[in-house]
Amino acid sequence: MAQTTPLINLIALSENEMTALVQDLGWPRYRTNQILRWLYQQRVLDIEAMTNLSKADRTRLEEVATIHRAVCAPPTVASDGTEKFVWKLEDGLAVETVLIPDGHRRTLCLSSQVGCTLDCGFCLTAEMGLKRSLRAHEIVSQVLTVQASLPERERLTSLVFMGMGEPLVNFDPVAEAIQRLTNIEWGLGFSPRRITVSTAGWIPRFPDIRRLGVNLAISLNATTNEQRARLMPAVNGRYDLSALLDACRHYTHFSERPLTFEYVLIAGVNDSPDDAKRLVSLLQSIRCKVNLIPFNEFPGNPFRRPEPDVIETFQGIVRQKGLDVFLRKSRGEDVLGACGQLGRSASKVLHDTLTNKKRNLPIYAQP
Ligand code: SAH
């Protein structure tokens, strides 16, 4: 029996790999950028739609290649307009992306892993463990498909790697995805300033992130090493609080961009006035702003959100000392779409939607 070679997924190729394919087909070099533009700027899902390739060339390309993006269930929409998308990957695993509208702004919260390498005690994704890291095209596809689902005149305004996973542990695919997202010639043309990568503190990759020109956010979440070791054991066991702060100081020394520190406020754990004072002194010599995130509760987790007056007092102390400090509104909580709530629902939502034949729900991308 003749063996059939599997089709190449065009969206899974890097620019160099696409160049090699074009060369193998005996085509001129400029065809590489033509195909890439169809994939990332026109977002086509069909080789047939690449109309500046001759009919014969399209047929030839269809013999060896295809375009496959992850399948997406229709988003669950929260009462505040936040939308949670659940994707089914080629191997059946599920991953989530959250779209956060705010006035004219459209922020997309991207996942970089299915589950997470780390074990932070306040995060639902951590409970899943790590299933696997995403590949570059699985990250870019989250942006392509969500952008395509928006009304004609709406654009995504910023991209944040704050969904499932620790992006700096999966650095190469994340960097490759950022390249495709920022490339102006054939890619999506996002300014690196509109992209933020959030890390629990994987410091060896800080210089690499700086070179990509995107923003870096650090999930600090504690003001003493003991507290951080309790809340974020895996990452703090490798790079403790003082190593993390040294790396941050070094980062701002070489970068024009200020750092963002995220601080999840948990009742009775890290929300006291003493914590607020310690936070200020830890960050004294670092050019930065601080985002306070009141803890988002989820079933089965013992932590609680502090009362509003406790949050206000905390913020007041930090602000009084001259730091730029913002309170992050919780978004999408009723669909478990807020920070730290991604994970458990993914496979269930996906199963329910993809098997719900009665309601005949649309699927954005073709399987
Ligand atoms: N691994 C990366 C990105 C994912 S977490 C990181 O740690 O930064 C994105 C943000 O959500 C982090 O700042 C994290 O501290 C915060 N977070 C996690 N669980 C949360 C919860 N239950 N409530 C509020 N914020 C949470």
Side-chain angles (χ1 to χ4, degrees), residues 54-362:
S54 71
K55 182 80 186 116
D57 283 356
R58 276 178 271 162
T59 307
R60 177 74 190 104
L61 192 55
E62 275 170 342
E63 282 164 12
V64 295
T66 182
I67 304 169
H68 177 84
R69 287 203 221 136
V71 182
C72 171
T76 336
V77 186
S79 51
D80 63 7
T82 301
E83 296 182 32
K84 181 156 89 169
F85 295 78
V86 181
W87 313 88
K88 186 181 180 189
L89 305 172
E90 272 164 272
D91 49 9
L93 289 173
V95 75
E96 304 180 355
T97 307
V98 181
L99 173 65
I100 309 157
D102 190 5
H104 293 304
R105 294 172 55 78
R106 298 278 173 281
T107 301
L108 195 63
C109 182
L110 301 169
S111 291
S112 56
Q113 298 184 310
V114 185
C116 189
T117 312
L118 304 177
D119 59 356
C120 307
F122 48 82
C123 181
L124 177 56
T125 308
E127 288 185 3
M128 293 173 66
L130 177 70
K131 303 281 188 254
R132 75 170 168 88
S133 287
L134 294 185
R135 298 174 57 201
H137 72 280
E138 293 170 324
I139 297 170
V140 179
S141 291
Q142 298 171 48
V143 182
L144 289 170
T145 304
V146 174
Q147 177 67 66
S149 80
L150 293 178
E152 183 68 33
R153 292 174 52 198
E154 283 183 23
R155 291 272 169 279
L156 293 171
T157 47
S158 43
L159 306 174
V160 295
F161 284 82
M162 295 183 186
M164 297 165 80
E166 169 49 47
L168 296 197
V169 169
N170 186 26
F171 182 76
D172 290 340
V174 166
E176 169 67 23
I178 289 173
Q179 241 135 34
R180 297 186 206 179
L181 293 168
T182 52
N183 185 293
I184 296 172
E185 242 177 279
W186 52 260
L188 281 89
F190 277 94
S191 157
R193 289 172 181 269
R194 297 197 170 275
I195 301 179
T196 300
V197 174
S198 177
T199 178
W202 204 257
I203 64 180
R205 288 299 190 180
F206 285 14
D208 299 314
I209 281 293
R210 183 161 41 77
R211 280 190 280 274
L212 289 176
V214 296
N215 304 301
L216 182 60
I218 314 289
S219 301
L220 188 63
N221 300 339
T223 59
T224 68
N225 197 49
E226 297 69 49
Q227 205 181 39
R228 200 165 196 271
R230 243 179 295 127
L231 289 172
M232 308 171 76
V235 70
N236 202 72
R238 283 216 186 204
Y239 314 111
D240 70 8
L241 186 60
S242 76
L244 173 61
L245 291 168
D246 282 347
C248 291
R249 240 170 258 122
H250 191 261
Y251 181 94
T252 47
H253 193 69
F254 288 99
S255 164
E256 285 170 26
R257 273 344 138 69
L259 279 170
T260 299
F261 285 94
E262 294 156 289
Y263 191 94
V264 181
L265 281 166
I266 309 174
V269 174
N270 63 359
D271 63 344
S272 70
D274 280 347
D275 281 305
K277 288 176 203 150
R278 270 197 298 268
L279 182 62
V280 174
S281 72
L282 287 179
L283 302 183
Q284 216 161 31
S285 56
I286 304 177
R287 208 157 22 87
C288 66
K289 65 169 184 164
V290 177
N291 279 340
L292 300 176
I293 317 175
F295 177 68
N296 294 311
E297 301 180 4
F298 54 89
N301 187 283
F303 292 137
R304 292 291 164 257
R305 176 180 298 188
E307 294 301 327
D309 60 315
V310 174
I311 298 174
E312 209 175 302
T313 306
F314 193 99
Q315 186 179 12
I317 295 171
V318 178
R319 177 175 292 144
Q320 208 181 20
K321 302 280 180 186
L323 272 179
D324 280 335
V325 56
F326 305 92
L327 190 62
R328 220 164 53 211
K329 267 187 286 177
S330 175
R331 301 291 308 264
E333 262 184 289
D334 48 347
V335 294
L336 283 185
C339 292
Q341 292 185 321
L342 303 186
R344 192 183 293 160
S345 59
S347 6
K348 183 171 175 343
V349 171
L350 191 72
H351 179 265
D352 291 354
T353 9
L354 295 181
T355 54
N356 190 343
K357 298 197 180 67
K358 264 186 283 172
R359 281 169 57 210
N360 198 20
L361 294 160

